């Protein structure tokens, strides 16, 4: 097998004593799957009685695509099926003559096994996840936690190879974006490989890529990670970027919205608003009492009346609402009356109603977000995941669940939740005297 320059660079990282994780690809035709199969074959032959893993979101797809590439690469290496290795279809593994094994694994996060308990007792030496953009961050981390088999016997360190096309999920936030910003951790590497980096591919392959639609061409031919169009997306990417420079947005009434941290890994995010100009603050590991005190201080500093303070009341946020005696936002409550039509719009809950309104405001360049530079990309990632969950039917309008967003970006969308809460004031809900 002849390797491309980019494949050779990736293999150097996969064989050093520093790098644990390599993301390779970022476009079609760059030799992603061939590299992964070569990596696994080489490791199994070099280190007898070790176990590798080749995973993909769906096992059936793995067998129809990745496994076909495996057979081709094995043949290029002079390996003969049923002599040097054999496929065990029952156990879904490839067994080598020297006792090494490659396990073929389905990495889809099924509702019946959300924590991947099926992988619980697994012990492997290394792994290759093909089309990693289709696999959740949790699945990737579970596989990574299982890399420990016979490492000390051969003086090895854990190695994990991911291949993918551009996507806005953990592959972007953990590899592409940090690499772009020269902030990638020393034990991680990203190698972009496109069709023009692969001199061994058919000349017709690029011609086919040139006939694709604009979005597919940007992603698969040019490897553009920033260009992504999805019919279910509510906010245009360019408009999201505009929101950080829309300094012309007028000042107005003062508000504070706050998404209170629920779990140890979440952050409390606070927005101080003047009209639709917002200054963003984030705090970690603050108690409910401390969060309430911070909000009181921000109220005093920015002249925000208590009637214009809104906190997420779900979970522990209810405690802060009680301390401040302010308004509370309940995500799954009924949508509010539209002040123009005087009717309740066809949304599945209040959270969806506010997110659709937020999308409308951002798409109209009516929001200005003032935040530290290290918050900007996180906010962009969260706003890109605001998607309608039922585009093609007549059900009530709603957005994809928070749990799914967390799977895609690897954290809770605390910033976007805080931003969406601001639009609650647009609907001017009616209150009984003495009750928010």
């Amino acid at each position: 097998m002849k390797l491309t320059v980019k494949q050779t660079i990736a293999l150097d990282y996969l064989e050093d004593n520093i790098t644990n994780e390599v993301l390779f690809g970022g476009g079609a035709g760059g030799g992603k799957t061939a590299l992964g199969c070569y990596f696994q074959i080489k490791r199994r032959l070099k280190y007898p009685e070790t176990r590798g893993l080749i995973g993909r979101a769906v096992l059936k797809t793995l067998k129809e695509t990745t496994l076909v590439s495996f057979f081709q690469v094995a043949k290029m290496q002079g390996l003969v099926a049923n002599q040097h290795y054999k496929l065990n279809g029952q156990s879904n593994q490839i067994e080598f003559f020297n006792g090494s094994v490659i396990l073929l694994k389905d990495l889809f996060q099924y509702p019946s096994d959300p924590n991947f308990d099926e992988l619980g007792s697994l012990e492997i030496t290394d792994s290759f996840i093909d089309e990693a953009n289709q696999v959740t961050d949790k699945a990737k981390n579970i596989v990574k936690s299982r890399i420990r088999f016979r490492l000390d016997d051969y003086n090895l360190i854990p190695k994990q190879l991911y291949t993918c096309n551009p996507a806005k999920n953990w592959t972007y936030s953990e590899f592409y974006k940090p690499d772009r910003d020269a902030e990638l951790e020393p034990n991680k590497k990203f190698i972009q490989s496109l069709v023009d980096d692969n001199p061994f591919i058919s000349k017709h392959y690029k011609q086919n890529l040139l006939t694709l639609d604009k979005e597919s061409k940007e992603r698969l031919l040019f490897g553009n990670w920033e260009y992504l169009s999805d019919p279910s997306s509510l906010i245009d990417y360019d408009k999201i970027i505009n929101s950080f420079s829309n300094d012309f947005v007028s000042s107005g009434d003062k508000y504070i919205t706050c998404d209170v941290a629920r779990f140890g890994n979440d952050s409390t995010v606070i927005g101080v608003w003047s009209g639709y100009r917002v200054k963003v603050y984030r705090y970690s590991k603050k108690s409910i009492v401390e969060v309430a005190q911070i909000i009181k201080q921000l109220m005093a500093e920015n002249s925000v009346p208590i009637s214009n303070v809104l906190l997420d009341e779900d979970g522990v946020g209810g405690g802060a609402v009680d301390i401040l005696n302010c308004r509370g936002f309940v995500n799954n409550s009924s949508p509010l009356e539209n002040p123009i039509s005087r009717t309740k719009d066809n949304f599945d809950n209040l959270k969806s109603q506010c997110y659709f309104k937020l999308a409308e405001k951002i798409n109209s360049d009516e929001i200005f977000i003032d935040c530290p530079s290290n918050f900007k990309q996180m906010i962009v990632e969260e706003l890109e995941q605001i998607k309608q969950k039922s585009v093609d039917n007549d059900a009530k309008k709603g957005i994809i669940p928070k749990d799914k967003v967390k799977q895609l970006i690897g954290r809770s969308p605390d910033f976007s939740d805080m931003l969406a809460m601001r639009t609650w004031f647009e609907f001017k809900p009616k209150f009984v005297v003495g009750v928010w």
Side-chain angles (χ1 to χ4, degrees):
M1 177 177 171
K2 295 181 180 178
L3 298 174
T4 69
V5 172
K6 292 291 182 70
Q7 288 172 332
T8 302
I9 293 171
L11 280 170
D12 286 343
Y13 288 128
L14 289 167
E15 294 176 348
D16 67 19
N17 293 316
I18 299 171
T19 310
N20 298 119
E21 300 173 77
V22 174
L23 179 66
F24 183 86
K32 302 186 297 293
T33 305
L35 170 68
C37 294
Y38 181 84
F39 163 62
Q40 279 296 304
I41 290 172
K42 185 175 183 180
R43 295 276 285 193
R44 302 293 71 78
L45 295 178
K46 186 174 182 179
Y47 304 110
E49 299 183 350
T50 56
R51 286 198 291 262
L53 177 145
I54 296 180
R56 192 160 173 164
V58 179
L59 182 61
K60 182 175 182 292
T61 307
L62 187 157
K63 290 181 176 180
E64 293 173 347
T65 56
T66 312
L67 190 56
V68 173
S69 296
F70 177 91
F71 293 145
Q72 293 172 342
V73 172
K75 185 177 181 180
M76 291 179 193
Q77 294 302 105
L79 300 182
V80 179
N82 297 317
Q83 178 182 337
H84 298 111
Y85 71 91
K86 65 178 180 179
L87 173 65
N88 188 325
Q90 266 193 321
S91 59
N92 292 317
Q93 61 185 35
I94 300 168
E95 302 163 353
F96 287 79
F97 67 92
N98 64 355
S100 289
V101 173
I102 295 176
L103 308 175
L104 307 178
K105 288 295 181 179
D106 186 323
L107 298 180
F108 185 78
Q109 191 164 22
Y110 293 99
S112 59
D113 187 18
N115 296 316
F116 297 94
D117 292 332
E118 191 271 334
L119 300 176
S121 60
L122 185 70
E123 288 192 4
I124 54 178
T125 311
D126 45 57
S127 71
F128 158 44
I129 300 179
D130 201 13
E131 298 298 342
N133 52 303
Q134 300 170 4
V135 170
T136 65
D137 181 63
K138 186 167 189 174
K140 175 263 295 184
N141 286 332
I142 291 292
V143 172
K144 182 166 65 173
S145 71
R146 302 299 183 254
I147 301 177
R148 54 180 179 262
F149 185 68
R150 302 208 66 180
L151 294 179
D152 293 341
D153 293 346
Y154 290 104
N155 195 29
L156 300 174
I157 65 172
K159 295 285 183 178
Q160 196 156 17
L161 170 65
Y162 318 112
T163 61
C164 73
N165 292 319
K168 286 296 181 65
N169 57 11
W170 62 268
T171 58
Y172 180 96
S173 60
E174 291 188 26
F175 287 89
Y176 172 77
K177 189 258 182 182
D179 181 75
R180 181 197 67 192
D181 298 341
E183 297 174 351
L184 192 61
E185 298 167 43
N187 68 318
K188 295 181 179 180
K189 292 293 182 289
F190 168 68
I191 300 100
Q192 175 118 318
S193 182
L194 306 177
V195 65
D196 286 334
D197 295 312
N198 186 358
F200 310 117
I201 200 164
S202 168
K203 63 182 180 181
H204 301 292
Y205 193 91
K206 183 175 181 179
Q207 294 303 315
N208 289 335
L209 292 178
L210 287 168
T211 65
L212 297 174
D213 61 89
K214 184 177 180 182
E215 179 201 339
S216 298
K217 194 185 302 181
E218 286 286 338
R219 291 179 60 245
L220 302 180
L221 177 58
F222 302 121
N224 187 346
W225 289 72
E226 310 295 351
Y227 193 96
L228 188 60
S229 177
D230 184 335
S232 65
S233 294
L234 294 183
I235 310 178
D236 181 81
Y237 178 80
D238 291 338
K239 295 297 185 179
I240 294 173
I241 300 303
N242 287 351
S243 66
F244 298 95
S245 58
N246 287 342
D247 196 36
F248 53 79
V249 173
S250 301
S251 301
D253 292 339
K254 304 293 185 66
Y255 300 91
I256 288 178
T257 57
C258 173
D259 183 72
V260 184
R262 294 168 188 75
F263 308 106
N265 291 332
D266 289 356
S267 300
T268 291
V269 176
I270 300 174
V272 178
W273 300 81
S274 175
Y276 271 94
R277 301 172 64 92
V278 61
K279 189 172 181 63
V280 181
Y281 301 85
R282 184 176 69 160
Y283 303 89
S284 298
K285 299 180 180 179
K286 296 293 183 182
S287 69
I288 297 304
V289 173
E290 289 174 315
V291 170
Q293 188 57 45
I294 291 170
I295 291 174
K296 285 181 181 179
Q297 184 175 343
L298 290 172
M299 288 170 60
E301 292 174 355
N302 296 278
S303 303
V304 182
I306 191 66
S307 60
N308 285 5
V309 176
L310 178 65
L311 274 64
D312 181 2
E313 195 171 1
D314 291 338
V316 298
V321 170
D322 292 340
I323 293 172
L324 293 169
N325 193 26
C326 65
R327 302 184 192 271
F329 186 94
V330 179
N331 289 279
N332 205 36
S333 58
S334 299
L336 299 171
E337 182 181 278
N338 188 313
I340 298 175
S341 65
R342 295 299 179 185
T343 61
K344 286 192 175 183
D345 293 327
N346 191 34
F347 293 102
D348 59 0
N349 55 36
L350 176 62
K351 182 177 181 178
S352 293
Q353 183 182 30
C354 288
Y355 261 112
F356 270 77
K357 190 66 177 179
L358 174 67
E360 177 186 314
K361 288 288 185 181
I362 295 177
N363 286 330
S364 299
D365 288 319
E366 296 179 29
I367 286 183
F368 172 57
I369 301 173
D370 179 10
C371 67
S373 58
N374 59 315
F375 292 176
K376 180 177 177 181
Q377 190 55 47
M378 289 189 286
I379 295 173
V380 171
E381 291 168 6
E382 292 180 20
L383 293 176
E384 282 195 296
Q385 295 302 329
I386 301 175
K387 298 179 182 181
Q388 188 170 348
K389 66 181 179 183
S390 303
V391 178
D392 299 322
N393 62 40
D394 297 324
K396 290 184 177 182
K397 291 189 290 186
I399 60 169
I400 62 174
K402 187 170 188 171
D403 286 348
K404 185 171 183 180
V405 175
K406 290 177 74 170
Q407 291 174 11
L408 292 168
I409 65 175
R411 54 185 166 76
S412 177
D414 304 313
F415 290 102
S416 63
D417 281 353
M418 177 277 293
L419 295 172
M421 288 165 61
R422 166 64 179 87
T423 67
W424 183 88
F425 294 98
E426 290 284 309
F427 301 101
K428 299 181 179 178
K430 304 296 188 295
F431 297 99
V432 178
V433 175
V435 180
W436 295 124

